[in-house]
Amino acid sequence: MPAKDFYHDTVRVALEKDGWLITHDPLYLRIGKYKTYIDLGAEKHLIAAEKGSEKIAVEIKSFIGQSDIDQFEDAFGQFLIYMTALAKKDPGRILYLAVPLEFYNRFFDDRFFVELAEQFKLRMLIFDEVKQSIVKWKK
Amino acid sequence: MPAKDFYHDTVRVALEKDGWLITHDPLYLRIGKYKTYIDLGAEKHLIAAEKGSEKIAVEIKSFIGQSDIDQFEDAFGQFLIYMTALAKKDPGRILYLAVPLEFYNRFFDDRFFVELAEQFKLRMLIFDEVKQSIVKWKK
């Protein structure tokens, strides 16, 4: 089991407030010969006439510490590898990178990274680290 | 200027042995608001009737230290970001990740990562760290 990220509990609370049921903490994922874990698995029952439920996996990054660009490079590489593995193993589950609002605001004011995120389908869940709530989803 | 990678000089020698002229050491690259450097820029004059020259940028990773998967995640994220930035700034220059043979052999015996590299167009230059020579190009 990996060490829990600094904002692990914050994101868990934010998801629960938003009506998600946490189903995995962490979520096991085999990547080639490696055993890895995505921080959280969650699901939400769809409303009205829709059948079934929405399933997500959430990888949490605090972005505290080394330089923003170094941390983003790491998170970005990991996200794409997990996304590729998850698409094979559990194609109905969508991966999100949980990103603290403060980091999101200062890093994604840069057009290059906004376009990069779109190009590589980097899905993000932006959370308010103080209010412990979800601010927006970038799908 | 960034710290030089452990295998910086090894890869430089290997490229020169292979007929490349090192033109940048390092190669400056602007990524959004960040100033970064790719380890080497090199070019080689094309033979025969072909005009011009082949230009490459080489990012060197030693893959010594932390776990293989962690190091690969970092290198992979960085490669894709540099590749995207380079394609905008200098589209005639092709980015390669220089990978030591020993790491290549033990990491890419895994079908998942072979397919991942193909899917994301991860171009690699595999070098023999003892003989200081290029073993193969994955284009």
Side-chain angles (χ1 to χ4, degrees), chain A residues 15 20-23 40-44 54-57 93:
Chain A
L15 282 166
W20 292 86
L21 177 70
I22 305 298
T23 53
L40 293 173
E43 64 179 64
K44 194 177 197 174
E54 199 177 346
K55 291 193 299 176
I56 59 173
R93 188 181 294 277

Side-chain angles (χ1 to χ4, degrees), chain A residues 44-62:
Chain A
K44 194 177 197 174
H45 286 276
L46 297 176
I47 48 168
E50 298 182 74
K51 293 258 173 25
S53 61
E54 199 177 346
K55 291 193 299 176
I56 59 173
V58 179
E59 183 60 24
I60 303 164
K61 292 291 172 197
S62 58

Side-chain angles (χ1 to χ4, degrees), chain A residues 30-34 36 68-70 72-78 80-85 88 106-113 115-116 119-120, chain B residues 30-34 36 68-70 72-78 80-85 88 106-113 115-116 119-120:
Chain A
R30 189 165 193 90
I31 297 188
K33 62 190 168 196
Y34 299 97
T36 57
D68 283 352
I69 177 81
D70 286 346
F72 180 75
E73 284 171 1
D74 297 357
F76 181 62
Q78 191 181 55
L80 294 176
I81 292 169
Y82 285 12
M83 184 178 75
T84 304
K88 291 180 185 188
R106 74 168 179 264
F107 194 74
F108 286 97
D109 66 345
D110 192 323
R111 181 148 193 83
F112 175 82
F113 292 103
E115 290 177 1
L116 184 86
Q119 184 180 338
F120 286 94
Chain B
R30 189 165 192 91
I31 297 187
K33 63 189 166 194
Y34 299 97
T36 58
D68 284 351
I69 178 81
D70 287 347
F72 180 75
E73 284 170 1
D74 297 358
F76 181 63
Q78 192 181 54
L80 294 176
I81 292 169
Y82 285 14
M83 184 178 75
T84 304
K88 291 180 184 187
R106 75 168 180 265
F107 194 74
F108 286 98
D109 66 345
D110 192 323
R111 181 148 193 84
F112 175 83
F113 292 104
E115 290 176 2
L116 185 86
Q119 184 180 337
F120 286 93

